[in-house]
Amino acid sequence: MAVSTPSMLQHFHILTLTHRNAKLKEIGELVAAFEGQDQLRDRLVRLKDEGMVNEVFYASTCNRLLLLFTSDQVVDDAFKQNLLAEPIAGLSHLRHLSGLRAIKHLYEVAGSIDSLVVGERQILGQLRECQERCREWSLIGDDLRIITNQAVLAAKDIYANTRIGEKSVSVVSLSMQELQRHAPSRKSRILLVGAGQTNVLVTKFLRKQGYDNVTVANRTPARARQLAAGFANGSALAFDELDTYTGGFDVLFVCTAASTATITPERFSALLAGESPAGKIVVDLGVPADVAEETVQGSDFTYISIEHLRSLAEQNMDFRRREIEVAQSIIARHLTETETLYQTRLIERAMSEVPQRIKEVRHTAVNKIFRKELADLDPETRELMDRMMTYMEKRCIGIPMQVAREAVVR
């Protein structure tokens, strides 16, 4: 009898908390509750040992927590509160999806449709790492193996056949694109003011692009030296040495945590070290702006501001969002394929005993029912009978499997 779609997939569930229905702080607190004290494995194993789930897959990022699992239990508020030995308020906020809706959501996450940054490919890598970890912990069985593998295939299809990952939305990446538009020489003198996470990313881009003459200035000199060490011609300055710096620059990146402008007209003039501002490039990644408005108005240089980069990022994000409709059609196709694949797998499981049952029938026929008749046969006839029975046995095993598969795909 054919298995209906709802009952076939309804035991798949997702409980999730994302940037769409919670603050990042709330997500972080729930992630800490699951992963704290390196007890994630024990907490997930407990769910399986206590029979709450049959299989479970856990993933978390800075803006998402996701539990994909199979279970025949009712997933309600009581179920949510029992996920952790010591329940916390955030558990009740978990959004519940089941059946095809759960699987569809997983595919949307893998394809970066549901991401805070649409088209962010890193999410697929993160999910694959989580999949491997849960597999190593023996938390993923045949059901979740099928679904998580299909999620990877759907995501790859989206990235290959849409433009959802095109046009950068990272301000650091966009700043480097804007810089390359002005084509500065690879021998340009690069001055970085600030050594926070943003400028760490900037240094990675600079190394990749082949820039080597880099000076880093920071309030913590050790941090400046650490960043400058990544360049053969790198050097470091303490922040208070900027006003007496005589090395000049061709490109200035500035991003500090200061609440007021760092590059005042006076400091900018000092940094020029007697050179003309014409042809200089200044990239301001500070929030609020690190380059004073008076500095920008009073000098003739190319100014790349954070507001300009943000505007470009939003335009590019709009472009990516327009690709979501194409991506959804790809997901719909993969969901149909998943239903067929899973139904076929159910039939394979149900028929896994067929070969052994047929062997048992043959054994009974040879050793009990027709034992006397076979004993009276001459060796040649007995050998022919054995060959015929072996042939029939193989065909009897293969035909039902083939017919069942063909029935599923019709």
Side-chain angles (χ1 to χ4, degrees):
M1 186 176 80
V3 184
S4 66
T5 296
S7 61
M8 180 174 67
L9 296 171
Q10 207 59 30
H11 65 300
F12 287 93
H13 300 271
I14 278 181
L15 287 173
T16 185
L17 196 65
T18 77
H19 60 93
R20 295 186 184 279
N21 61 341
K23 296 179 180 179
L24 297 183
K25 180 182 178 182
E26 294 175 307
I27 297 172
E29 289 173 351
L30 195 55
V31 170
F34 273 95
E35 301 181 16
Q37 300 177 325
D38 293 325
Q39 296 297 306
L40 176 62
R41 178 178 181 174
D42 292 343
R43 292 182 178 114
L44 296 179
V45 168
R46 180 185 71 84
L47 299 180
K48 194 172 179 182
D49 288 346
E50 293 183 1
M52 290 182 64
V53 303
N54 300 317
E55 304 175 30
V56 60
F57 165 89
Y58 170 93
S60 67
T61 68
C62 61
N63 53 57
R64 178 184 314 278
L65 180 147
L66 185 148
L67 272 171
L68 167 69
F69 57 95
T70 58
S71 177
D72 296 322
Q73 293 195 23
V74 175
V75 180
D76 52 14
D77 285 341
F79 183 97
K80 294 177 185 178
Q81 292 302 322
N82 287 330
L83 289 172
L84 294 171
E86 297 180 1
I88 64 173
L91 290 170
S92 61
H93 299 152
L94 286 166
R95 179 188 177 205
H96 174 227
L97 300 167
S98 63
L100 269 181
R101 290 180 64 216
I103 297 169
K104 180 175 184 286
H105 180 71
L106 179 68
Y107 293 3
E108 289 173 340
V109 172
S112 195
I113 294 175
D114 194 66
S115 295
L116 183 61
V117 180
V118 174
E120 183 182 34
R121 293 174 182 263
Q122 292 92 326
I123 184 66
L124 179 57
Q126 292 169 332
L127 290 179
R128 295 185 76 170
E129 289 175 4
C130 295
Q131 177 192 30
E132 180 61 22
R133 178 177 61 184
C134 290
R135 187 193 64 78
E136 290 177 354
W137 291 350
S138 299
L139 297 172
I140 290 181
D142 196 42
D143 275 6
L144 292 193
R145 176 191 62 80
I146 293 171
I147 299 305
T148 52
N149 284 349
Q150 288 299 111
V152 171
L153 292 177
K156 288 182 175 180
D157 199 352
I158 289 170
Y159 294 139
N161 295 293
T162 72
R163 303 177 68 186
I164 202 167
E166 293 183 16
K167 296 186 179 291
S168 176
V169 293
S170 157
V171 292
V172 174
S173 177
L174 285 168
S175 72
M176 295 304 296
Q177 290 178 21
E178 288 291 287
L179 178 66
Q180 294 309 308
R181 213 163 51 83
H182 297 285
S185 166
R186 293 299 184 270
K187 296 181 180 179
S188 296
R189 296 164 297 169
I190 311 289
L191 175 59
L192 270 72
V193 178
Q197 186 59 39
T198 297
N199 273 353
V200 169
L201 294 175
V202 169
T203 60
K204 291 181 179 179
F205 277 100
L206 291 174
R207 283 196 296 271
K208 186 176 181 180
Q209 295 294 331
Y211 292 99
D212 198 43
N213 189 351
V214 177
T215 301
V216 183
N218 193 52
R219 297 189 187 280
T220 306
R223 180 66 173 163
R225 289 193 293 271
Q226 183 180 9
L227 277 191
F231 300 91
N233 294 320
S235 58
L237 298 172
F239 189 83
D240 56 14
E241 294 179 280
L242 278 175
D243 293 333
T244 57
Y245 175 65
T246 60
F249 70 89
D250 299 302
V251 180
L252 169 64
F253 279 90
V254 55
C255 183
T256 73
S259 58
T260 58
T262 301
I263 307 300
T264 61
E266 295 77 18
R267 178 165 286 150
F268 185 72
S269 179
L271 291 175
L272 288 172
E275 299 175 1
S276 169
K280 306 295 184 185
I281 301 173
V282 177
V283 184
D284 184 356
L285 300 176
V287 180
D290 268 306
V291 179
E293 187 175 343
E294 298 83 1
T295 306
V296 178
Q297 294 175 348
S299 297
D300 182 20
F301 60 87
T302 298
Y303 179 56
I304 301 172
S305 70
I306 187 70
E307 290 306 321
H308 171 65
L309 296 173
R310 281 178 165 176
S311 176
L312 288 177
E314 188 56 36
Q315 292 174 29
N316 290 352
M317 183 58 78
D318 286 341
F319 173 87
R320 288 186 175 192
R321 291 189 186 110
R322 289 194 291 272
E323 292 294 295
I324 288 178
E325 186 175 347
V326 180
Q328 288 288 9
S329 66
I330 292 174
I331 285 178
R333 174 166 52 79
H334 278 273
L335 285 173
T336 300
E337 292 174 0
T338 298
E339 290 183 274
T340 300
L341 177 65
Y342 189 70
Q343 191 171 4
T344 301
R345 186 59 181 151
L346 287 181
I347 291 172
E348 289 175 349
R349 291 179 192 168
M351 300 187 71
S352 62
E353 295 183 8
V354 169
Q356 183 59 36
R357 294 278 185 91
I358 291 176
K359 290 180 184 295
E360 291 172 358
V361 170
R362 174 180 174 173
H363 183 271
T364 300
V366 170
N367 294 289
K368 293 182 179 179
I369 299 176
F370 300 106
R371 181 171 60 83
K372 292 182 179 179
E373 290 88 339
L374 291 173
D376 293 335
L377 297 176
D378 61 79
E380 290 183 0
T381 304
R382 176 64 184 267
E383 181 185 359
L384 176 61
M385 287 291 298
D386 282 342
R387 284 172 25 215
M388 289 176 61
M389 293 183 71
T390 299
Y391 173 80
M392 292 296 294
E393 178 184 327
K394 290 180 179 179
R395 295 299 295 165
C396 288
I397 290 172
I399 290 174
M401 295 292 291
Q402 181 180 351
V403 171
R405 290 193 185 99
E406 290 173 352
V408 169
V409 299
R410 281 175 189 165

